Amino acid sequence: MNTVTAPAPPADLSRRPAPKPRNIAPAVVLIALLAAGVWSVDAVGINVQAIASSLDNAVAFTQRMFPLDFPPLPETVGMVLETLAIVFLATFLSVVLSVPLALAAARATAMGRLSQGAARTLIVLARAVPDLVLAIVFLRLFGLGATAGILAMGIHSVGMVAKLYADAIEELDDGPRESIEAAGGHRRQQIAAAIPQVLLPQMVATALHRFDINLRTSVLLGYVGVGGIGLAIADALRTLDYQRGMALALLVLGLCIAIELLSGAIRAAIMKRSGGAVRGGTWTDKLFAAGVTGADRAAGAGPTVRLTPPWTAARAQRFLSSALILVLLAASLWRVDNSPEALWQGLLSLPETLGLFLPPSAGGTWDSVMEQLLLTVQIALASTLIGAVLAVPIGILAANNVVANRAVRTFFRVLIVVVRGIPELILAIIFVVISGLGGVAGTLALAVGAVGLLSKLVADSLEETDTEVQDAMRTAGASEAQVFFAATLRQAAPAFIAHTMYLLDSNIRAATLLGVVGAGGIGFLLLNASRVNQFDVVTLILILMVVVVLAVEALSMWLRRAVR
């Protein structure tokens, strides 16, 4: 007897599966951050009326800055050389300090969990402490001049350089090191023989990128007494000499763009020689590496970097590069005014100087400190929101796989690098003159500066998406708009979130620094406290900023893991 089974009722395809709790939490946090950004824009005072009322000041400022007053050529060359020497020495110091820290922090080369944890902690603290605070401490120790700036930028740079070095070590193929270990080589031989062959290109590329960042930072440190172009700009603007100040600012812009083009070309050459092993980079890397396609990199195209006993062209090039670095190091040490006696006296007075910074105290201004700390966070949130609104469409129009017109892509790529070349400090000075002292100037300066960073990251994220998914949708008859929103944008969305959180993290630090020129936030209190020798207040402000930065960094790390 045959039994007839009744067909199962059709599934209710109209009901979507309920969202999982682990997916709800990141969405709630992102919505809360968006709401906080909107609230911050209103709290800071960014609105159409405020911007419109500043137009007259903008016209008056433009009239006062022309004609530009450039210093005599010998003086200009001297300032440029001094600035480059300070930046080179700071970057060199960061590399020297970062290599042992990275070896101790990476799992493959760490001597134990204790040393690894200690190294990771030092790297995080170096990144969290603003170089402005370090400069204030070192200026108290060693006096005015280049020494404080070199040490401040060098130690702060360790937070980025050592982290990238440690990450690069952990991503290396551990086979060569294990082979040397199996052959009886001790730990020092394993590190010296196996790791530098592959890590050296990444080290150079990271150092060049940090050099670009330190060049912009050196302008800010001029406001607290570090030499170079930054000090000349500070002196000119303190006397309201806008013709000289803006001429020097234009000089900084040209120098930043030129250095980024040069370092980008060098990084691109390193990336080609390393067969694509060096990751990351800026828009200039892609410009100069245009001959190497993604398929070439995937196939390992390009000569490998090996140190062999014969004097090959690659070895000769490495030798000449090392010799050039030594020459630049000697020239930089000769150019800057570093007194060994002052350095030694400063080290001897270190315990006494540190005693001035401890214990931390509000100096009777606790309410003011907390108010300005809140304003600093509001400036960072508002500038990140405005910057994202401006940067996302620019980054989309600069992406190769989104915009087919090459002229359009090139225009927006050039726009990105021009905006990126302007130090936020220069933007803050201009907006302070136009809109007055306060958070409006800092917010607008960081929002414009965000275009140079975030739009480049957005474009790179779009170009790194899986093109096969996009081609499949086109084959199925989807329009370009459908391909973009359903495939390209959807794949890049997690990267967008990560980049925006990185921008927020950077803007909190930058908002602190821009307060030095009156652009709102706790940086103004920081500078005033240092000027009247209230170093215990400086310590309190530093502790508060480190807590805020670490909290944002922890939130950013959690969001990046949650949205993957």
Side-chain angles (χ1 to χ4, degrees):
M1 179 179 178
N2 296 331
T3 58
V4 179
T5 304
D12 186 3
L13 300 179
S14 62
R15 297 182 60 185
R16 296 183 177 180
K20 298 179 180 180
R22 66 181 182 182
N23 296 331
I24 295 177
V28 171
V29 171
L30 290 174
I31 293 173
L33 287 174
L34 178 61
V38 174
W39 167 70
S40 298
V41 170
D42 180 68
V44 170
I46 303 292
N47 52 61
V48 177
Q49 182 180 358
I51 296 175
S53 62
S54 302
L55 293 179
D56 292 339
N57 292 337
V59 174
F61 171 70
T62 304
Q63 293 173 345
R64 293 184 63 181
M65 64 179 283
F66 288 106
L68 296 174
D69 179 24
F70 288 95
L73 184 59
E75 183 180 348
T76 302
V77 172
M79 286 189 297
V80 170
L81 292 178
E82 183 180 7
T83 300
L84 292 177
I86 292 173
V87 173
F88 178 84
L89 291 174
T91 307
F92 184 85
L93 176 63
S94 70
V95 172
V96 171
L97 296 176
S98 295
V99 170
L101 268 179
L103 292 172
R107 287 190 299 269
T109 54
M111 298 182 65
R113 290 188 177 181
L114 181 60
S115 64
Q116 183 181 9
R120 290 283 183 182
T121 301
L122 290 175
I123 291 172
V124 170
L125 289 177
R127 189 166 63 253
V129 179
D131 32 28
L132 177 64
V133 175
L134 292 172
I136 291 173
V137 175
F138 292 131
L139 284 168
R140 181 69 186 181
L141 279 170
F142 308 114
L144 300 177
T147 302
I150 293 169
L151 293 174
M153 287 189 292
I155 293 176
H156 178 71
S157 299
V158 169
M160 168 189 161
V161 177
K163 179 182 183 301
L164 294 179
Y165 285 178
D167 293 345
I169 292 173
E170 291 184 349
E171 293 175 0
L172 293 177
D173 181 9
D174 207 30
R177 187 196 63 81
E178 292 176 345
S179 299
I180 297 175
E181 182 181 16
H186 52 71
R187 182 174 178 273
R188 186 183 305 171
Q189 291 173 324
Q190 298 168 31
I191 294 173
I195 292 178
Q197 298 181 28
V198 186
L199 185 60
L200 187 60
Q202 181 74 60
M203 291 176 57
V204 177
T206 301
L208 287 169
H209 182 47
R210 189 65 211 186
F211 185 92
D212 295 340
I213 298 174
N214 286 341
L215 178 60
R216 295 170 174 83
T217 304
S218 67
V219 180
L220 170 69
L221 297 187
Y223 270 78
V224 293
V226 177
I229 300 178
L231 181 60
I233 291 176
D235 291 340
L237 294 180
R238 284 194 189 105
T239 59
L240 303 183
D241 187 358
Y242 296 124
Q243 294 176 337
R244 173 60 62 88
M246 288 301 102
L248 293 172
L250 185 62
L251 179 64
V252 170
L253 172 60
L255 186 62
C256 288
I257 294 176
I259 292 298
E260 183 164 350
L261 286 170
L262 177 61
S263 62
I266 297 174
R267 285 196 302 268
I270 292 173
M271 292 169 73
K272 288 181 180 180
R273 292 181 63 243
S274 63
V278 180
R279 301 180 180 181
T282 65
W283 70 276
T284 50
D285 302 332
K286 294 192 173 185
L287 174 65
F288 291 105
V292 181
T293 65
D296 295 333
R297 281 189 287 267
T304 57
V305 181
R306 295 186 178 92
L307 183 60
T308 55
W311 278 97
T312 61
R315 185 180 180 187
Q317 186 176 10
R318 285 194 295 272
F319 175 79
L320 293 175
S321 299
S322 302
L324 177 61
I325 291 175
L326 293 177
V327 170
L328 291 175
L329 178 62
S332 299
L333 289 171
W334 173 80
R335 184 64 185 82
V336 300
D337 184 17
N338 280 322
S339 171
E341 182 180 354
L343 185 63
W344 176 249
Q345 291 298 326
L347 292 175
L348 291 178
S349 63
L350 180 60
E352 179 184 354
T353 302
L354 291 180
L356 299 175
F357 290 84
L358 297 172
S361 169
T365 60
W366 177 259
D367 292 340
S368 179
V369 169
M370 296 307 297
E371 179 183 352
Q372 294 303 313
L373 178 63
L374 175 62
L375 179 58
T376 300
V377 175
Q378 289 174 334
I379 291 172
L381 287 167
S383 60
T384 301
L385 177 60
I386 298 173
V389 171
L390 296 173
V392 168
I394 293 176
I396 291 173
L397 292 171
N400 291 328
N401 59 334
V402 177
V403 177
N405 191 309
R406 184 175 182 179
V408 173
R409 297 197 310 268
T410 302
F411 171 79
F412 283 100
R413 285 283 181 179
V414 172
L415 175 64
I416 290 171
V417 72
V418 170
V419 175
R420 181 176 169 80
I422 306 175
E424 286 87 351
L425 177 68
I426 304 301
L427 292 171
I429 292 170
I430 295 173
F431 284 120
V432 163
V433 175
I434 293 175
S435 61
L437 299 172
V440 173
T443 301
L444 294 177
L446 291 177
V448 174
V451 173
L453 173 63
L454 187 58
S455 55
K456 181 261 174 188
L457 296 175
V458 168
D460 290 350
S461 298
L462 291 170
E463 292 176 355
E464 292 169 0
T465 55
D466 187 356
T467 57
E468 294 182 357
V469 177
Q470 301 162 25
D471 293 339
M473 289 191 64
R474 292 189 182 95
T475 304
S479 64
E480 289 300 322
Q482 291 173 323
V483 171
F484 173 73
F485 286 104
T488 309
L489 189 60
R490 188 170 182 177
Q491 292 182 67
F496 285 5
I497 295 173
H499 297 329
T500 305
M501 291 302 299
Y502 171 73
L503 179 63
L504 175 60
D505 185 20
S506 301
N507 281 347
I508 289 178
R509 295 184 179 91
T512 304
L513 304 181
L514 295 186
V516 171
V517 296
I522 206 167
F524 186 69
L525 290 180
L526 183 66
L527 182 62
N528 284 343
S530 67
R531 285 176 174 173
V532 298
N533 295 334
Q534 289 183 317
F535 298 110
D536 51 346
V537 178
V538 171
T539 305
L540 176 66
I541 294 174
L542 170 62
I543 293 173
L544 293 174
M545 289 308 306
V546 168
V547 170
V548 172
V549 168
L550 293 180
V552 172
E553 186 169 347
L555 178 62
S556 176
M557 292 175 61
W558 175 77
L559 274 177
R560 286 198 297 267
R561 289 194 299 266
V563 300
R564 282 180 180 175

